[in-house]
Amino acid sequence: MKHRIVVLGAGYGGAYTAGTLARRLSPADVDITVVNAAPEFVQRLRLHQVAAGQDVAAPRLVDVFAGTSARLRVARVTAVDPERRIVSVADAEGGGELGYDTLVYALGSHVADHGVPGVAEHAFDVATRPAALRLRDRLDQLDRRSESGRVLVVGDGLTGIEAATEIAESRPGLAVTLIAARELGAPLSAGARRHLREACDRLGVTVVEHTTVEAVEATRALCADGTVLESDATVWAAGFAVPPIAAASGLEVTEAGRIVVDRTMRSVSHPDVYAVGDSVHAVGDNGRPLPMSCASAGFTAKQATAAVLGRLTGGRIARVKLVYVGNHVSLGRRDALVQFVDAEARAKPKHLGGANAARIKAAILRTALWGTEHPTFGLPGRKRRLAAVRLSAAPLSAAPRAAAPDAGVPERGPRTPAGKAAV
């Protein structure tokens, strides 16, 4: 019986993991299924551009995985039962259940409303492609009006900054206001903050600092200090949250619902489950949790992939660096910021801004897309065979907690009398 690998989610982390495992493991030993709610790969880092009205590629996942043994299931994940090793999905045909022996959980994150009234009913966001297209339609309506439309962007993180500056540059007829809970660009260096403020001034973005929104209505936002801000389109960019599926499944998660893992991205409560990307609570090499980001998705996906390969084939598990080197934020199409950080993730005085930073940002985006479209490029062509076949019928609850090793150093499986590593 083949070993069943199921990958939930085909974002940056999930697509890399699925493609690499399909290239490295022999199809004679494994079946790999990728479950994703949409048939296309979404460039989440560029959804603010989609909202602003620009054309952004969305490659078909069947093309991404063409030439590999990975199969795509377009469906929405509704539940995970790690005791039975079952994933429940819903699709146009009603859905069903998928069994697995190894699960890679990469369901990402969605916009967090933080319980603020009216966000779900009245606000727009750029966390998904359908949401970004919905915002684009609204901005198109405002552009067609005789009077200037008012766009309010709530959130001074990178997503909010990128959305506000992109909309302001692409749609100069709209009046854009950015609401910052702190000083604008608070985590950045002093020089980077100055550059950011100059960019907002140049693009006509009004910045309101030290302000929080406590309610969103159809045509205005109500602030905690009593200020009322009129808005024809309120864009909510005040953070992200993970789906409740992992927490509901019984996997060990943080208070925020992110899966707790060891150094190899393996669940500390259920050793047949790995987590990557925004879904995982991974502690970086500096002792701090990795932030939700494309870079973190890449590092965690590489580590999880190495761990699955090593454990299933009895090989050595490579230790992938888990680091956070900096932020890159676009300020329209011709300007950007690259902020370097130290080992403690604090902003260094050094930053790069302007056209050169914009070119770097564009190169990062092109590389991320190309790498996703070619998930097996540069990998060895030789397929690795499984060292042993896991007994799928064995109840997961029988596996002791110690079966999920800390793996602070590369490991090999225990040796069997026949000289084969046990899986």
Side-chain angles (χ1 to χ4, degrees):
M1 181 177 180
K2 292 184 179 182
H3 188 92
R4 301 163 299 173
I5 299 175
V6 175
V7 180
L8 304 183
Y12 294 102
Y16 170 86
T17 303
T20 304
L21 291 176
R23 177 67 177 269
R24 299 302 306 279
L25 293 172
S26 171
D29 293 340
V30 298
D31 278 326
I32 299 175
T33 302
V34 185
V35 182
N36 199 62
E40 304 90 10
F41 172 74
V42 176
Q43 295 191 69
R44 189 169 181 178
L45 293 176
R46 300 183 64 187
L47 287 179
H48 58 285
Q49 294 178 243
V50 174
Q54 299 163 28
D55 292 329
V56 174
R60 297 192 313 159
L61 288 171
V62 290
D63 297 331
V64 169
F65 296 120
T68 76
S69 58
R71 296 192 302 271
L72 175 66
R73 174 76 180 268
V74 179
R76 180 173 56 87
V77 178
T78 58
V80 174
D81 185 344
E83 305 302 330
R84 298 170 54 226
R85 298 194 187 111
I86 293 293
V87 175
S88 299
V89 300
D91 57 21
E93 299 178 356
E97 294 183 338
L98 296 173
Y100 68 84
D101 299 301
T102 295
L103 180 71
V104 180
Y105 189 106
L107 289 180
S109 61
H110 57 262
V111 69
D113 61 17
H114 303 296
V116 175
V119 171
E121 296 83 1
H122 304 298
F124 298 85
D125 67 77
V126 291
T128 65
R129 186 173 177 83
L133 291 172
R134 175 172 168 263
L135 174 57
R136 180 163 74 180
D137 288 342
R138 178 56 178 163
L139 297 180
D140 287 342
Q141 294 174 8
L142 297 180
D143 269 339
R144 290 192 291 266
R145 298 191 337 181
S146 57
E147 69 271 21
S148 176
R150 299 157 299 184
V151 178
L152 183 65
V153 179
V154 182
D156 57 335
L158 302 187
T159 300
I161 291 170
E162 291 192 324
T165 53
E166 197 75 51
I167 292 171
E169 181 181 82
S170 297
R171 299 173 182 264
L174 302 180
V176 180
T177 298
L178 176 61
I179 304 298
R182 307 160 291 179
E183 176 187 1
L184 180 65
L188 303 175
S189 64
R193 290 197 301 273
R194 285 193 299 271
H195 185 95
L196 173 58
R197 191 171 297 276
E198 291 169 358
C200 288
D201 290 343
R202 172 174 53 81
L203 294 169
V205 176
T206 300
V207 179
V208 180
E209 297 175 298
H210 307 291
T211 301
T212 57
V213 173
E214 63 178 13
V216 176
E217 297 180 354
T219 59
R220 63 181 187 170
L222 311 180
C223 301
D225 62 2
T227 303
V228 177
L229 298 172
E230 302 297 326
S231 174
D232 297 302
T234 298
V235 184
W236 192 261
F240 296 92
V242 298
I245 295 172
S249 72
L251 291 166
E252 184 168 335
V253 299
T254 65
E255 184 177 351
R258 300 173 76 185
I259 299 174
V260 181
V261 296
D262 64 16
R263 183 55 176 73
T264 68
M265 303 302 117
R266 193 185 204 183
S267 166
V268 298
S269 62
H270 294 79
D272 293 303
V273 177
Y274 295 79
V276 304
D278 289 354
S279 303
V280 65
H281 176 79
V283 177
D285 294 341
N286 62 358
R288 300 171 181 267
L290 291 175
M292 293 182 178
S293 69
C294 177
S296 297
F299 291 132
T300 56
K302 288 181 180 179
Q303 183 61 81
T305 302
V308 172
L309 285 169
R311 291 194 175 107
L312 293 186
T313 64
R316 185 174 184 270
I317 297 178
R319 182 186 179 97
V320 176
K321 288 184 178 181
L322 300 178
V323 296
Y324 191 66
V325 297
N327 298 313
H328 49 82
V329 51
S330 63
L331 305 171
R333 292 299 84 215
R334 295 177 292 277
D335 194 2
L337 272 172
V338 177
Q339 175 67 71
F340 303 97
V341 301
D342 61 19
E344 299 301 315
R346 296 171 300 199
K348 293 181 178 179
K350 182 180 181 181
H351 78 280
L352 183 65
N356 285 337
R359 283 191 282 269
I360 291 174
K361 170 77 172 181
I364 291 172
L365 295 175
R366 287 195 300 270
T367 301
L369 175 62
W370 195 93
T372 301
E373 290 183 302
H374 303 82
T376 63
F377 177 78
L379 295 180
R382 182 175 65 87
K383 307 287 188 179
R384 297 172 64 180
R385 301 298 301 269
L386 267 61
V389 178
R390 189 185 303 254
L391 297 177
S392 301
L396 184 59
S397 57
R401 185 184 180 91
D406 181 18
V409 296
E411 67 171 42
R412 285 186 180 272
R415 310 303 294 182
T416 65
K420 296 290 186 179
V423 178

